[in-house]
């Protein structure tokens, strides 16, 4: 059972930046596909970004070049750098790791974009 812990959320003004982290309890995190999802109030959870074990990335259309997913395999951590944040980016952001068709989820970190 892999434990994922997100951090880095908070309150930021429109146009600001945040860097989310996802720390995994496994030392083979590099073998996992790492993903970020988000869930805004009253909405369904939606895909944000992913990185395969090979380093390939994919992003949701709404990211539009503002977010970057990355990893530190030595530290078993994934990151989501978010720039030029908009009020509509307000949501709980969840880290998800997949291995052998099994998904593991963190509890989320709240990002609020407001002036």
């Amino acid at each position: 059972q892999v434990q994922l812990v997100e951090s880095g959320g908070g309150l930021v003004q429109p146009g600001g930046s945040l860097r989310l982290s996802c720390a995994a309890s496994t030392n083979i995190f590099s073998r996992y596909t790492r993903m970020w999802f988000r869930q805004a109030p009253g909405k369904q959870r939606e895909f944000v970004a992913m990185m395969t074990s090979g380093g390939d990335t994919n992003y949701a259309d709404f990211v539009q070049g503002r977010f970057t997913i990355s990893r530190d395999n030595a530290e078993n951590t994934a990151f989501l750098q978010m720039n030029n944040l908009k009020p509509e980016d307000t949501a709980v952001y969840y880290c998800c790791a997949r291995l052998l068709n099994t998904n593991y989820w963190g509890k989320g970190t709240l990002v609020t974009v407001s002036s």
Side-chain angles (χ1 to χ4, degrees):
Q1 185 77 7
V2 176
Q3 306 295 324
L4 302 174
V5 179
E6 302 95 334
S7 61
L11 174 64
V12 63
Q13 293 186 342
S17 298
L18 283 175
R19 189 191 195 204
L20 305 183
S21 299
C22 172
S25 62
T26 175
N27 60 6
I28 58 167
F29 199 39
S30 61
R31 300 182 189 180
Y32 288 69
T33 293
R34 282 137 288 185
M35 297 170 281
W36 288 94
F37 288 77
R38 71 184 189 184
Q39 187 166 16
K43 295 187 177 181
Q44 291 187 333
R45 191 173 298 189
E46 62 180 352
F47 168 78
V48 176
M50 69 174 290
M51 176 180 280
T52 68
S53 58
D56 295 327
T57 59
N58 190 29
Y59 297 91
D61 289 342
F62 63 75
V63 169
Q64 297 176 331
R66 300 181 296 128
F67 297 176
T68 302
I69 188 171
S70 62
R71 64 185 178 183
D72 183 336
N73 288 335
E75 297 294 329
N76 298 311
T77 303
F79 304 98
L80 184 68
Q81 176 68 42
M82 304 187 295
N83 299 326
N84 191 22
L85 283 161
K86 305 175 182 179
E88 53 263 42
D89 293 319
T90 295
V92 177
Y93 284 72
Y94 296 90
C95 178
C96 178
R98 178 187 297 166
L99 183 67
L100 300 177
N101 294 321
T102 299
N103 289 338
Y104 302 91
W105 293 88
K107 294 183 179 180
T109 184
L110 177 63
V111 172
T112 303
V113 185
S114 176
S115 56

